[in-house]
Amino acid sequence: MFTLIRPVAGIALAILASIAAAAYWPLYRPDVPLGGFSMWMTVLGFVVGWLFLGGRVDRRLWMTVFMAWQAVVLTALLAVTVFGIREVFILGYRRRFREPMEAFNGFFDIAAGWLRLGWERDFLILLGLGGLVVGVVVHVTHWLFERRRMTR
């Protein structure tokens, strides 16, 4: 069943993903242009917010915040997977990987590198507080929508 909370959750997580992408950019090497990294992170955040977080909003605030934190982690893992596969294909076309098993192992090296960069205290605090804010915003919005629906 389509509810209005799904787009709200998608937009809230997309905003957090855009802010996190802007904070992640300085952690990466400054000489490497990341292209549309911020835009793709925003899209991934919206998709995870719509599909995962929007369908799991609960009547309890702590559970919604917990689901928002899970959505933040899921967005980060999905981004690492998508950008890792992209980088494997780029390096494969440049003939840096000679065989498929080398590319498969290279994916895990690339993914570990992306995760290692994000393992910084300030960035993790941003993600944790951002997940808390997203959870509270989605919960309050859901509560207001339900209150309006029940008064009809």
Side-chain angles (χ1 to χ4, degrees):
M1 177 172 109
F2 176 81
T3 60
L4 198 55
I5 198 62
R6 286 182 182 266
V8 169
I11 290 170
L13 200 60
I15 290 170
L16 175 63
S18 176
I19 292 169
Y24 186 82
W25 194 294
L27 299 176
Y28 205 70
R29 293 183 308 191
D31 60 333
V32 176
L34 291 179
F37 178 71
S38 181
M39 188 232 6
W40 283 109
M41 282 302 299
T42 304
V43 169
L44 288 175
F46 182 79
V47 168
V48 170
W50 182 292
L51 295 177
F52 182 78
L53 181 59
R56 288 172 175 77
V57 176
D58 197 50
R59 291 183 183 205
R60 299 166 298 207
L61 175 63
W62 68 269
M63 193 64 180
T64 305
V65 170
F66 181 65
M67 287 298 152
W69 282 332
Q70 286 183 359
V72 168
V73 171
L74 183 62
T75 303
L77 292 177
L78 185 65
V80 164
T81 304
V82 167
F83 289 113
I85 290 172
R86 176 185 171 269
E87 200 165 334
V88 163
F89 274 104
I90 289 172
L91 293 176
Y93 284 128
R94 291 180 185 168
R95 307 252 186 220
R96 301 262 174 92
F97 297 133
R98 303 200 189 287
E99 52 189 49
M101 199 61 199
E102 189 178 347
F104 183 74
N105 291 335
F107 165 75
F108 290 106
D109 291 337
I110 292 167
W114 282 80
L115 288 174
R116 193 177 317 113
L117 283 176
W119 199 259
E120 187 168 324
R121 184 191 63 204
D122 294 338
F123 187 69
L124 292 175
I125 289 172
L126 170 75
L127 292 180
L129 289 178
L132 176 73
V133 169
V134 166
V136 169
V137 165
V138 168
H139 181 77
V140 168
T141 306
H142 178 69
W143 178 73
L144 290 173
F145 288 163
E146 285 296 307
R147 192 171 129 204
R148 181 172 179 250
R149 184 176 69 92
M150 293 298 182
T151 58
R152 287 184 171 197

